[in-house]
Amino acid sequence: MKVAIIYASTTGNTQAMAEAIAAGAQAKGAEVVVSEADSFDTATLGDYDSIAFGSPAMGAEELEDSVESLFSSIEGDLSGKTVSLFGSYDWGDGQWMRDWVERMEAAGARVLNGEGLICQEVPNDDAIAECKALGKQLAAQ
């Protein structure tokens, strides 16, 4: 099982979530590649059995720019892929994540974690545990 975890983080909160997801997937024996969105090699997308995408909410609850750019470039290649979505926010109610889930589903991806995994500001112990559980789910796909 090969899992990619692709994210952007402006304050370290989404990065902490990505690292916990990676730890969960590795605990289940998956080969895990963690990459920031602006350095992910899109040519390797087909190499992964499942992919986790992470982005903090920016501005008016939008994806971070590098994640938006990456997602726009691979949106047409996600049909049939198992993906999960995660990210952190400071204010708002998670609309950026709901919009992102809709875009993933419209692209034909299977969103493993329904409405996405979101965390307000710094992930607490419960959020880290949820991230690790998500990593384990990704490794089981």
Side-chain angles (χ1 to χ4, degrees):
M1 172 62 59
K2 194 166 181 183
V3 176
I5 301 169
I6 306 161
Y7 73 96
S9 187
T10 57
T11 63
N13 298 337
T14 304
Q15 179 179 358
M17 294 176 78
E19 291 169 355
I21 293 168
Q26 289 167 334
K28 282 292 194 180
E31 178 184 342
V32 178
V33 172
V34 179
S35 175
E36 291 189 34
D38 57 3
S39 60
F40 179 71
D41 181 1
T42 58
T44 66
L45 188 67
D47 296 346
Y48 299 98
D49 300 297
S50 56
I51 305 166
F53 292 99
S55 176
M58 304 298 291
E61 289 208 67
E62 300 166 343
L63 295 175
E64 190 273 341
D65 288 344
S66 66
V67 174
E68 177 61 45
S69 178
L70 172 70
F71 182 68
S72 294
S73 74
I74 62 173
E75 204 163 352
D77 300 322
L78 294 174
S79 184
K81 284 282 189 190
T82 298
V83 302
S84 64
L85 303 175
F86 67 96
S88 60
Y89 67 103
D90 185 14
W91 59 272
D93 68 356
Q95 185 61 48
W96 101 102
M97 186 60 69
R98 290 189 295 276
D99 292 343
W100 200 10
V101 168
E102 287 179 18
R103 284 179 68 187
M104 281 287 183
E105 290 173 342
R110 176 179 163 253
V111 181
L112 181 63
N113 60 330
E115 295 182 3
L117 177 58
I118 61 175
C119 171
Q120 188 169 20
E121 298 178 344
V122 178
N124 62 22
D125 291 343
D126 290 341
I128 293 296
E130 288 181 55
C131 290
K132 288 179 179 178
L134 178 57
K136 290 176 182 177
Q137 281 183 289
L138 282 168
Q141 295 306 303

